[in-house]
Amino acid sequence: MDFGKMVGDSFGYAKEGLVGKWAKWILMIISCIIFPLIMGYILRVYRGETPAPELKDWGSMFIDGIKLFIVGLIYAIPIIIIEIVVIGSAVVTGAMTQAYGNTDPSAILGMIGGVLFGVLILLIVSIIIGLVVATAVVRFARTNSFGEAFNFSAIFAHIGKIGFVSYLIALIIMMIILCIIEVICIMIPVVGMVILFILLPILVLFEARYLTLLYDSAGTAA
C-alpha cells in the first residue's frame, strides 16, 4: 500500500474541492455547525464521488447525515457505558478519599487501581471500535443499509483483504497528520482556534477521501 500516494491524493482532493471555491468553503463551514449536513456530505465522498461533490439536495444530505449519526451513536454505546462506569468509579473514589483520608489506604489504592483499569479497558475498546468504524461507515455509504454497517464478518473480511497491519498503519498515519495540524493551530495564540475552524472543511474532506481510498484498496490489496 502506497501511504504517501493516499495522503497526497486526499489532500489534492480537498484542495481541488475547496481552494478557489470560497462560497462552497463557507457553506461547508456552516455545515460543520449543523452537523447532520456535513455528515451527509461525507457519505457522498464515501460513495466515491470524484471530484469532491457539490453541496446540493440539502434535505437528502441532512437525512443521510442523521443516518450516519445513528450508526456512529450505536457504535459509541459501549464506549459511553464504560465511560459512565469509569467516571462513576472515579467520583466514588474521590469521595471516599476525601471522607476517610488515609484511614484505609489499601482500600483507596484498590479503588484507584480499579479506576485505572477501567480507563485502560475504555482505551482498548475505543481503539477496537475505531478500527471497525473506519470501514463500517464507508460500507454503510456504499450499501445504504444499517444491517451492513454492523455486518462484522463482512467488515473484518474486508479489512483482511486490505491487510490488518497495512490498515492499522494507514489509520495511524491519518490520525498523526490530523493531530499535527490541530495541535499547530491550537498553539497559535488568540486566533489558533479560529484558524482551525476555518480549516475544518479541508480536514473533513481529507479524512473522508482518505478512508474512501483505504476502503477501496481492498480491491488491489495483495
Side-chain angles (χ1 to χ4, degrees):
M1 182 181 293
D2 191 335
F3 302 111
K5 184 177 180 180
M6 287 175 57
V7 171
D9 182 292
S10 300
F11 272 120
Y13 184 87
K15 178 182 177 183
E16 182 183 5
L18 291 173
V19 174
K21 302 176 181 178
W22 309 118
K24 180 179 179 181
W25 196 318
I26 292 171
L27 286 174
M28 282 196 65
I29 291 175
I30 295 172
S31 297
C32 288
I33 299 172
I34 310 172
F35 72 91
L37 290 177
I38 197 64
M39 295 182 81
Y41 181 82
I42 287 171
L43 272 184
R44 296 178 179 178
V45 179
Y46 287 159
R47 289 173 183 140
E49 293 191 27
T50 303
E54 298 299 320
L55 288 128
K56 57 184 180 180
D57 300 327
W58 294 87
S60 169
M61 195 162 67
F62 187 88
I63 293 172
D64 279 348
I66 292 295
K67 293 178 181 178
L68 182 58
F69 173 75
I70 292 172
V71 170
L73 182 60
I74 293 172
Y75 270 107
I77 288 175
I79 298 174
I80 294 171
I81 292 173
I82 296 173
E83 281 181 343
I84 292 173
V85 172
V86 171
I87 292 172
S89 300
V91 170
V92 171
T93 300
M96 292 288 288
T97 302
Q98 186 175 8
Y100 298 103
N102 294 322
T103 56
D104 191 0
S106 61
I108 299 299
L109 287 175
M111 295 179 71
I112 293 174
V115 171
L116 294 177
F117 179 74
V119 171
L120 177 61
I121 295 298
L122 176 62
L123 179 61
I124 293 172
V125 171
S126 298
I127 291 173
I128 293 173
I129 290 177
L131 293 173
V132 174
V133 167
T135 291
V137 290
V138 183
R139 185 174 183 82
F140 171 69
R142 300 290 175 87
T143 63
N144 198 31
S145 166
F146 280 108
E148 288 303 313
F150 302 96
N151 185 344
F152 298 113
S153 60
I155 289 171
F156 283 112
H158 192 92
I159 295 173
K161 291 178 182 178
I162 297 171
F164 285 98
V165 174
S166 296
Y167 184 77
L168 181 61
I169 292 174
L171 291 178
I172 290 173
I173 290 173
M174 182 190 75
M175 293 305 302
I176 290 174
I177 292 171
L178 293 174
C179 286
I180 289 175
I181 294 173
E182 291 172 7
V183 169
I184 290 174
C185 289
I186 292 172
M187 290 177 64
I188 300 174
V190 184
V191 297
M193 291 303 297
V194 176
I195 294 174
L196 179 58
F197 187 67
I198 293 172
L199 289 178
L200 271 180
I202 286 282
L203 301 182
V204 165
L205 269 180
F206 166 79
E207 181 177 356
R209 176 63 174 175
Y210 190 92
L211 291 180
T212 301
L213 292 175
L214 180 59
Y215 184 91
D216 288 338
S217 69
T220 58

